[in-house]
Amino acid sequence: MTQPFDATAASAAYRNALEVIGAVEPTIAGAIRAELDDQRSSLKLIASENYASPATLLTMGNWLSDKYAEGTVGHRFYAGCQNVDTVEQAAADHAKALFDAPHAYVQPHSGIDANLVAFWAILANRIESPALAQASAKHVNDLSDEDWTTLRKALGDQKMLGMSLDAGGHLTHGFRPNISGKMFHQSSYGTDPETGLLDYDKVAATAREFKPLILIAGYSAYPRKIDFAKMREIADEVGATLMVDMAHFAGLVAGKVFTGDFDPVPHAHVTTTTTHKSLRGPRGGMVLCQPEYADAVDRGCPMVLGGPLSQVMAAKAVALAEARRPEFQTYAQAVADNAVALAEGLMKRGVKLVTDGTENHLVLLDVSSYGITGRQAESALLDAGIVTNRNAVPRDPNGAWYTSGVRIGTPALTTRGFGVDEFDRVAELMVDVLSSVTPTTTSAGAASKAKYVLADGVADKTRAASAELLDKHPLYPGLDLN
Ligand SMILES: *Cc1c(COP(=O)(O)O)cnc(C)c1O
C-alpha cells in the first residue's frame, strides 16, 4: 500500500544526504537514521500518524526553503517568487481537484494554523462592520493600537459550537488551552450516553438555543462517520457558518470512502485539514472553502501565519498528486476495512469499544474493565512494542490525564501493507498485553493510576510476535541506508 517508489534511487538519495548532513552535525544524521529504525520496528497504531512517501519526504529538503513568499500566487510581498508560485498553484490545483473544492489555501503550517486562518476568515466575512472591514483590509503590520481595539470591539461576543472534548472533539474547537477558547464563547455538543453516537436532534436543539456564529463538526477521537448534510441543515437553520475540521479523516474523503452526505467539502462553508494524518502527506495544514470565503482565507499569511514554507507546499503538491491516483482509493478503503477488522478482533475477545465499533480509521478502547487506566494501558502496550495513545472516553471518570481509554488507528500500518488478518492478530496481541497488566497498589491500598506490573515474559513474547508481522510488511521496502 506504500506509494510505489524506486528503492535504488531513494537509497542513494538518502545515503548521500546523510553523508552531507553527517559531515556537519553527526548527531542529527544519527538521529535521522535511528528514527527510520524506530519507525520500522514498532507497531504504530497512533491514529493521527502515517508514513509519507520518499518522494513527498525528499521534496522537503531543498532551496525552496530559502525563499520568502508572503502573499498569494502572483501577488507577493517579495521579488523572485515565480517558482514558489508554480509550487503553490500546483498544490492548490491538486487539492481542488482531489476534493472537488472551489478554493484551496495550502499555506497553513499545521492543522491548528489552518483552523486559526478559518476562524479569522469567518469572522472577517460574517461580521458586518465598516471598522472591521477597514482594519482587516490592512496589512497586519499597519494596524495601529486603535485599529486593534476597534477590531476586538467590532467582533463582539462571538460564539462557537463544537463537539465536546470527551466525545472526541479537538481543543482548537473553542477550548481553553487554544486561542479559540479566548476568541469565542464556546458551547459543546456531546454524544448519546447509551450509544455513544452523535444525536443530531440534540445538536440542533443546542444550536437553536446557543445561536453560534460558527458550528464546527470534526473530531480526533470519534470512531464514526458524521452526516455533514444534516450538520449543514442545522447551521442554516440558525444562521451559522458550518466549518468542518477533517484533520483526522481527510484521507477517507480523498479516497472516496466518505462520499455524499459524509463528504464534508460540498456541505461546509469552510473545511480545514492537516495533510500528514490519513492523507499521508507532509506535516502541514490546508483550508478549503466556498468562493465567498476565499478572499478572507487567502489573507491567512500574514494575518495569523508566518511566511509560507514553500518546500512543504511543494511536498503537499506531491502527496496530493499521489492521493489523486486510483491506488489511493484502494488504500483508503483498506484503512476503513482494517479498522473494522481491528474493532471486531478486539470486541470478540471481550474489549469494550466506545460506540461498539468503527466507521472510520480509528477505534477507541475503554480499558476500565481490565481495572486499569488509559495511562497504564498505553505504557504497558509500549513496553511490548505497541505504540498507541491514551485518550479520554465520554464522561471519563479518570479525566483527561490518566483517562480510561486508548485510541488506535489503521492508517500507518495499512501503508505498510497490513490487511484484515494482520489486524486481527494485532487485536490478539493487544488483548494479551491488556489482560496481563496489574495496577500497583499504593501505600494507601488504592490502585495506582500510573504504575503497574506487566506479567513476566509478555513484553518479549509480544515483541517477537509483532516483529514477525513487521518483517512480513517492511516499511519502505528496499530502502537501505548502508
Ligand atoms: C490533529 C488535529 C489538529 C491539529 O493539527 P496540527 O497539525 O497538530 O496542528 C486540528 N484539528 C483536529 C480535529 C485534529 O485531529
Side-chain angles (χ1 to χ4, degrees), residues 367-388:
V367 296
S368 51
S369 62
Y370 290 97
I372 57 176
T373 62
R375 167 124 181 215
Q376 287 162 327
E378 174 196 86
S379 304
L381 288 164
L382 189 63
D383 294 343
I386 302 178
V387 190
T388 66

Side-chain angles (χ1 to χ4, degrees), residues 262-348:
F262 303 100
D263 173 356
V265 180
H267 302 292
H269 297 93
V270 182
T271 303
T272 58
T273 186
T274 60
T275 47
H276 50 273
K277 296 182 182 176
S278 54
L279 193 53
R280 207 162 71 177
R283 188 157 293 280
M286 202 160 68
V287 182
L288 308 172
C289 66
Q290 301 301 329
E292 64 272 28
Y293 287 89
D295 284 347
V297 162
D298 282 349
R299 287 179 199 280
C301 167
M303 188 59 79
V304 294
L305 294 178
L309 309 175
S310 305
Q311 76 284 14
V312 181
M313 292 196 294
K316 286 172 187 169
V318 171
L320 290 164
E322 290 171 352
R324 291 182 66 190
R325 298 188 172 178
E327 299 96 287
F328 193 84
Q329 295 186 18
T330 313
Y331 164 70
Q333 190 57 54
V335 165
D337 294 344
N338 286 339
V340 170
L342 181 59
E344 283 175 354
L346 289 164
M347 287 190 296
K348 79 181 180 207

Side-chain angles (χ1 to χ4, degrees), residues 191-230:
T191 45
D192 184 90
E194 292 292 308
T195 62
L197 300 174
L198 248 185
D199 177 342
Y200 295 95
D201 293 337
K202 277 222 180 100
V203 177
T206 310
R208 275 180 214 118
E209 192 175 326
F210 188 62
K211 299 195 177 33
L213 178 80
I214 304 178
L215 173 63
I216 297 203
Y219 52 78
S220 39
Y222 178 66
R224 295 281 164 177
K225 300 197 275 199
I226 291 181
D227 184 333
F228 298 109
K230 270 194 193 147

Side-chain angles (χ1 to χ4, degrees), residues 29-305:
I32 294 170
R33 283 175 178 273
E35 183 60 26
L36 179 61
D37 291 341
D38 288 354
Q39 302 246 359
R40 278 179 158 166
S41 60
S42 63
L43 207 57
K44 177 148 98 173
L45 288 169
I46 295 188
S48 51
E49 293 189 5
N50 212 328
Y51 305 106
S53 71
T56 297
L57 296 174
L58 283 166
T59 305
M60 285 186 279
N62 60 68
W63 29 91
L64 284 169
S65 169
D66 294 332
K67 195 73 199 95
Y68 242 116
E70 226 177 82
T72 48
V73 176
H75 187 259
R76 306 283 184 187
F77 293 90
Y78 288 82
C81 291
Q82 58 280 2
N83 300 312
V84 179
D85 280 357
T86 303
V87 160
E88 183 168 358
Q89 192 64 55
D93 286 346
H94 282 309
K96 287 197 286 183
L98 178 63
F99 292 107
D100 198 13
H103 185 73
Y105 183 61
V106 297
Q107 290 190 20
H109 311 322
S110 75
I112 287 187
D113 293 12
N115 284 350
L116 195 51
V117 169
F119 296 149
W120 182 261
I122 294 167
L123 287 170
N125 186 281
R126 291 287 309 276
I127 309 298
E128 285 201 27
S129 152
L132 179 63
Q134 214 177 0
S136 51
K138 288 189 189 173
H139 187 280
V140 74
N141 292 342
D142 298 333
L143 291 175
S144 65
D145 287 352
E146 204 180 314
D147 285 331
W148 278 111
T149 308
T150 311
L151 271 172
R152 277 192 294 266
K153 268 203 212 138
L155 293 176
D157 292 331
Q158 296 305 331
K159 295 188 266 184
M160 171 184 291
L161 176 62
M163 190 178 228
S164 69
L165 274 184
D166 80 344
H170 193 260
L171 44 87
T172 54
H173 300 180
F175 296 96
R176 279 272 182 80
N178 180 255
I179 194 163
S180 56
K182 300 178 170 49
M183 291 165 73
F184 296 93
H185 295 283
Q186 204 264 8
S187 182
S188 50
Y189 52 84
T191 45
D192 184 90
E194 292 292 308
T195 62
L197 300 174
L198 248 185
D199 177 342
Y200 295 95
D201 293 337
K202 277 222 180 100
V203 177
T206 310
R208 275 180 214 118
E209 192 175 326
F210 188 62
K211 299 195 177 33
L213 178 80
I214 304 178
L215 173 63
I216 297 203
Y219 52 78
S220 39
Y222 178 66
R224 295 281 164 177
K225 300 197 275 199
I226 291 181
D227 184 333
F228 298 109
K230 270 194 193 147
M231 293 304 265
R232 175 61 187 260
E233 263 175 46
I234 297 170
D236 284 347
E237 188 195 325
V238 301
T241 292
L242 178 63
M243 171 172 158
V244 175
D245 179 349
M246 63 170 182
H248 251 262
F249 55 88
L252 298 182
V253 180
K256 312 283 180 241
V257 174
F258 288 175
T259 55
D261 293 351
F262 303 100
D263 173 356
V265 180
H267 302 292
H269 297 93
V270 182
T271 303
T272 58
T273 186
T274 60
T275 47
H276 50 273
K277 296 182 182 176
S278 54
L279 193 53
R280 207 162 71 177
R283 188 157 293 280
M286 202 160 68
V287 182
L288 308 172
C289 66
Q290 301 301 329
E292 64 272 28
Y293 287 89
D295 284 347
V297 162
D298 282 349
R299 287 179 199 280
C301 167
M303 188 59 79
V304 294
L305 294 178

